[in-house]
Amino acid sequence: MKKIIILLFLFLISLPVSFAQTEEYAADDILNLYFQTIGQDKLLKTNTYVTKGKLLNGKTEIPFISYNKRLMSYRLEAEVNGMKIISAFNGVSGWTINPITGSSDPQFMTSDEAERSKLQADYNGMFYNYADKGYKVEFIDKDYVGFVEVYILKLTTPDEDEITAYIDTENNVMLKSSSYVTIEDTVAEMEMYFSQHRFVDDILFPYSVETKVNGKTEMKMMVEQI
């Protein structure tokens, strides 16, 4: 259960191009289509949003509510076995209260955890204005997620963290992302599969997110309201 909670916070602290150009320019073309599809211009006009739902792990259901605020702030509340878990980040530092560990004292994020939270908590999305943030994005190749053809883009931070995005070539929505994370001192590959996309005030959100660690499904997030 402890592992599941760690993964929960990793996620929630949560798309016809000519390639006869440079990889950087092709990547920008793909991202521009993605931004148009998800309603990025509408998202830029908002300052906060609230997400309610539950996480499924086998027969276990974990209700949660998250509050996101521009530019990189969030607060997440979840309930497990009657115990309330809270995690918060203000764009610079963060902390978590997790009674499951046996303590109700706030545990502050390490510098590495805070840096990763900046990626996950980015209100506009880590790919938006990526160059201004010091990130690099490159087009890697085409491939398939299931039976759907996708563009593969890789984002690299100044600290050499890498996140790979898989964007549907026809519908311009993100179907998957992958990265390597450290869980309990072990490096693991984390994949997230996005589906059941719906518009909320002309902004597209995935209402189902399946998380796999080293190829094994660890949990599924079902959004009920945004």
Side-chain angles (χ1 to χ4, degrees):
M1 180 61 72
K2 180 180 179 182
K3 183 178 179 182
I4 296 171
I5 298 305
I6 292 173
L7 289 170
L8 164 63
F9 291 133
L10 283 172
F11 171 72
L12 288 168
I13 48 173
S14 123
L15 315 84
V17 176
S18 171
F19 291 101
Q21 311 171 52
T22 65
E23 289 184 355
E24 289 78 8
Y25 195 78
D28 286 342
D29 285 343
I30 296 168
L31 287 175
N32 285 334
L33 290 173
Y34 167 66
F35 294 143
Q36 292 174 23
T37 299
I38 67 171
Q40 185 76 29
D41 58 332
K42 302 295 192 303
L43 179 65
L44 295 175
K45 296 177 182 178
T46 68
N47 291 304
T48 63
Y49 67 87
V50 180
T51 305
K52 298 179 181 179
K54 58 187 176 183
L55 283 169
L56 307 177
N57 180 261
K59 295 182 179 180
T60 302
E61 293 189 2
I62 304 173
F64 74 86
I65 180 169
S66 67
Y67 306 85
N68 289 73
K69 180 181 179 181
R70 167 179 312 280
L71 285 171
M72 294 183 182
S73 298
Y74 72 81
R75 177 184 174 94
L76 169 68
E77 300 175 1
E79 187 173 327
V80 181
N81 296 330
M83 292 182 284
K84 194 170 188 178
I85 301 169
I86 303 173
S87 183
F89 182 73
N90 64 8
V92 178
S93 61
W95 50 265
T96 297
I97 295 176
N98 186 357
I100 290 180
T101 63
S103 172
S104 294
D105 296 330
Q107 302 298 314
F108 291 91
M109 291 182 181
T110 65
S111 58
D112 288 342
E113 291 170 340
E115 284 302 311
R116 185 160 187 91
S117 289
K118 288 181 181 179
L119 288 171
Q120 302 296 339
D122 192 331
Y123 191 93
N124 293 327
M126 66 185 76
F127 284 95
Y128 185 75
N129 281 350
Y130 65 87
D132 293 343
K133 303 168 187 175
Y135 304 158
K136 177 183 177 181
V137 174
E138 55 187 321
F139 168 72
I140 302 300
D141 203 348
K142 286 184 179 182
D143 202 347
Y144 286 84
V145 173
F147 296 101
V148 180
E149 185 182 53
V150 294
Y151 299 120
I152 303 176
L153 300 182
K154 182 174 71 175
L155 179 147
T156 305
T157 73
D159 295 327
E160 300 301 320
D161 287 331
E162 295 180 352
I163 296 179
T164 305
Y166 302 77
I167 298 177
D168 186 336
T169 60
E170 181 177 356
N171 297 307
N172 305 311
V173 297
M174 191 177 300
L175 300 182
K176 174 186 172 183
S177 71
S178 64
S179 60
Y180 287 90
V181 299
T182 300
I183 302 174
E184 299 177 347
D185 299 324
T186 301
V187 176
E189 181 184 21
M190 183 166 72
E191 300 171 296
M192 305 178 74
Y193 293 82
F194 310 99
S195 60
Q196 297 185 28
H197 294 79
R198 303 180 196 174
F199 281 100
V200 179
D201 293 336
D202 297 322
I203 304 169
L204 193 64
F205 293 92
Y207 268 58
S208 175
V209 181
E210 181 180 3
T211 301
K212 294 185 178 183
V213 176
N214 292 334
K216 178 183 177 182
T217 298
E218 289 289 343
M219 65 179 178
K220 189 172 185 179
M221 185 189 77
M222 302 299 297
V223 174
E224 297 171 346
Q225 184 179 6
I226 295 178

